[in-house]
Amino acid sequence: MQLLVAWTVLRTFAALGRLEPVDEAREGIKVDAAPAAIVETHWPETGIRTRPWSPSKRIATMSKGTRLLVRGVVASRDSSGCKGKPWYAVYPFGYVCSEHVKPGREQPTVGHALGERMRGDRRLPYDYAKVREEGALMYRGVDGVRTGVAARSLSEGMNLAVARTLEVDGAAYVETVDGQLVSKSSVGWLGQGSAWHGVFLTDDAAIGPAFAWSSRDKVPVLAEPAVKAAQVGTLGLRERVDLLEETGEADPDRWWKIGEGRYVQAKNLNEVVFTAIPEGALRDNRLASGDDQWIDVDLGEQVLVAYRGERPVYVTLISSGKGSPTPKGNYPIWAKVASMTMANQDYEDNPYMVEHVPWVMLFQGHNALHGAYWHDQFGKRRSHGCVNLAPLDARWLFEWVAPALPAGWTGYLPADLERSVVVHVRDSSLPPDQAFVQERPIGPPDPEEEKRRQEEADERRAEAAATAAEAVPAAAAAG
């Protein structure tokens, strides 16, 4: 059994290792025999770096207790990166400071990141609660409650990831995954999120319209493609139908035949339309290595399709940006994070916070594909700009997109975005010349752009404060 575990781990790591190749001989990295075959992380978060020295980019993170296979040891070149201590060269790639790990005995755990939390019929890795009182107080642990010193106040509608409930001096609190306490009376439980999920595609699919889901409940099905035709039935919310024949050139006069004598207005459907590989969505260097994954996001239909080369393999409904539209363009995924807390940026005026959002793949700036546990409106625009997925879809997509993070790993940041899976974002509801444009640069948030937006926010808030201050004396004089 132990040999099987080791072989499974090595097979997974071999697939990962192709993503971050390093020519150690050319770079003068000498790997010697290591005193330990397995090491275990003992910091709350441990990083793996591209090179065994400082500075070098951190490309992966893992939680405390994660075990790694060691392929050798590298002597330190400097006193700052690992305080003069040696580095371990580990599988599948990279180097970890020997100060951050300890020798281990057991093999690395087989499985995916967050998989250990997905027992039974769970759809989410944590229990979640919504803040239902404006100004609810959050405390740093039991001591914070007893001293009455709050860490912050919360806005109604913020979401918390809850580890447990407990009593402090007779009062009930929820303790978050991050160790903060909030009065239990101030929150309501969210449950396990939407049960919605997409479908696998096993047969070859032709380019063009394939099928659709109804966009709301009780969608009228008419005998003819005309609003005054006799009604012959209805469709339930997200009911799947075949797209047999299209009539009309544009909404609201566009209809789909879904059966003999059965027609539905196109505006009431989320249409699944398969497409050829768009320019820039799948580079030749990735095709050559067999890494032929790419993702199509159609904002117009609120549909996501996962492809391998020309073949669609999975399709589902999403919720993209509403007030802040999801940007169109080709975007290589610049980070995979098992779970992360999302909140408004300092330059944004409307506060929000959703803790430990699961299965996050950041593709442009702060925008990401991720699981959404707080709503069930997939098929409609809803988000702040991200692409929301139902929990089951988010987990599948996160584990499908290379690299699949092993158990205990919390994040991965590719050193070369040329090797990363591309998210192709378009809007089929717009005219052809507007449906796809590269609206934003690729990669993480631009520090200069973030600085500019913060300066604008500071100026805006200063002006608002000055206006409010001027209004106070005037009001007093009038009184």
Side-chain angles (χ1 to χ4, degrees):
M1 180 65 180
Q2 193 172 37
L3 286 174
L4 177 62
V5 171
W7 179 81
T8 304
V9 170
L10 281 171
R11 184 179 64 174
T12 302
F13 282 1
L16 275 165
R18 291 194 295 269
L19 293 167
E20 299 293 344
V22 174
D23 189 338
E24 292 177 326
R26 184 175 63 84
E27 298 194 30
I29 301 172
K30 186 175 183 295
V31 180
D32 297 317
I38 299 170
V39 292
E40 182 177 309
T41 62
H42 60 79
W43 281 29
E45 183 177 86
T46 297
I48 289 180
R49 300 191 176 271
T50 54
R51 304 292 187 276
W53 54 69
S54 180
S56 65
K57 182 179 179 181
R58 188 166 71 164
I59 52 174
T61 57
M62 51 207 59
S63 59
K64 183 178 180 180
T66 302
R67 295 184 293 275
L68 297 165
L69 297 178
V70 176
R71 62 183 182 86
V73 66
V74 182
S76 179
R77 290 189 182 185
D78 57 73
S79 60
S80 57
C82 193
K83 298 183 179 178
K85 303 290 180 63
W87 296 75
Y88 285 113
V90 296
Y91 291 105
F93 50 67
Y95 309 84
V96 62
C97 174
S98 59
E99 267 211 337
H100 302 167
V101 295
K102 62 183 179 181
R105 294 181 180 179
E106 297 182 22
Q107 293 285 340
T109 303
V110 175
H112 293 287
L114 293 182
E116 74 282 359
R117 294 184 168 275
M118 304 303 295
R119 297 185 179 91
D121 59 355
R122 289 189 66 92
R123 294 193 291 269
L124 291 165
Y126 303 103
D127 295 321
Y128 297 94
K130 180 186 288 290
V131 177
R132 58 187 186 186
E133 291 182 4
E134 186 68 28
L137 298 179
M138 174 180 276
Y139 300 92
R140 288 193 179 93
V142 173
D143 289 343
V145 172
R146 286 178 171 158
T147 59
V149 179
R152 63 171 296 179
S153 64
L154 304 175
S155 296
E156 184 179 2
M158 289 182 170
N159 297 325
L160 309 176
V162 178
R164 61 171 180 155
T165 59
L166 73 163
E167 281 194 5
V168 180
D169 299 332
Y173 289 84
V174 295
E175 182 179 41
T176 72
V177 171
D178 299 323
Q180 310 293 300
L181 298 188
V182 179
S183 173
K184 188 177 179 181
S185 64
S186 299
V187 304
W189 297 101
L190 285 171
Q192 280 295 304
S194 173
W196 165 257
H197 61 83
V199 294
F200 292 97
L201 304 167
T202 56
D203 300 327
D204 291 337
I207 292 173
F211 61 90
W213 286 291
S214 53
S215 60
R216 60 183 176 86
D217 194 20
K218 298 180 181 179
V219 168
V221 179
L222 305 184
E224 299 288 341
V227 292
K228 294 185 178 181
Q231 183 170 320
V232 295
T234 60
L235 299 177
L237 174 64
R238 296 193 287 248
E239 184 174 337
R240 178 174 170 172
V241 296
D242 293 327
L243 298 178
L244 303 178
E245 184 180 327
E246 185 181 18
T247 62
E249 295 184 357
D251 290 340
D253 300 319
R254 195 164 61 90
W255 294 74
W256 276 103
K257 181 179 180 180
I258 63 170
E260 195 60 40
R262 293 171 63 83
Y263 294 86
V264 176
Q265 280 187 295
K267 69 177 184 178
N268 292 326
L269 297 173
N270 296 104
E271 300 171 29
V272 175
V273 181
F274 299 133
T275 181
I277 303 173
E279 183 178 353
L282 189 56
R283 302 180 185 89
D284 291 342
N285 68 315
R286 291 182 51 232
L287 274 171
S289 66
D291 182 16
D292 57 352
Q293 297 173 317
W294 63 281
I295 298 168
D296 179 55
V297 174
D298 183 352
L299 305 178
E301 297 297 336
Q302 293 293 288
V303 165
L304 177 148
V305 183
Y307 286 84
R308 277 200 172 277
E310 296 180 346
R311 184 171 67 88
V313 297
Y314 193 82
V315 58
T316 193
L317 295 170
I318 60 157
S319 289
S320 69
K322 188 175 181 180
S324 300
T326 303
K328 299 190 293 292
N330 283 328
Y331 302 106
I333 292 171
W334 68 264
K336 290 186 71 173
V337 185
S339 74
M340 64 183 293
T341 294
M342 296 183 174
N344 60 288
Q345 303 302 312
D346 288 342
Y347 48 73
E348 295 176 314
D349 294 328
N350 297 320
Y352 69 90
M353 181 180 71
V354 283
E355 286 193 341
H356 286 274
V357 175
W359 303 300
V360 179
M361 293 185 287
L362 290 143
F363 63 86
Q364 193 285 318
H366 300 291
N367 294 306
L369 300 156
H370 63 74
Y373 54 79
W374 51 90
H375 74 82
D376 186 19
Q377 296 187 29
F378 304 101
K380 298 180 175 64
R381 298 176 194 255
R382 159 78 189 238
S383 79
H384 292 279
C386 289
V387 175
N388 288 184
L389 293 153
L392 295 172
D393 290 333
R395 182 185 181 187
W396 181 87
L397 194 67
F398 187 85
E399 294 177 355
W400 178 78
V401 167
L405 299 193
W409 289 44
T410 56
Y412 168 72
L413 292 90
D416 181 6
L417 292 185
E418 290 290 319
R419 296 176 177 272
S420 196
V421 174
V422 169
V423 181
H424 176 77
V425 186
R426 60 190 175 92
D427 189 340
S428 63
S429 69
L430 298 176
D433 62 338
Q434 301 173 32
F436 177 83
V437 293
Q438 190 71 32
E439 291 185 327
R440 306 267 182 88
I442 67 171
D446 178 13
E448 290 301 316
E449 175 65 12
E450 295 291 288
K451 180 181 177 182
R452 182 190 65 77
R453 296 182 71 175
Q454 185 62 59
E455 290 173 347
E456 289 179 351
D458 292 342
E459 291 177 5
R460 180 175 69 249
R461 290 163 185 166
E463 290 175 3
T467 301
E470 291 173 0
V472 171

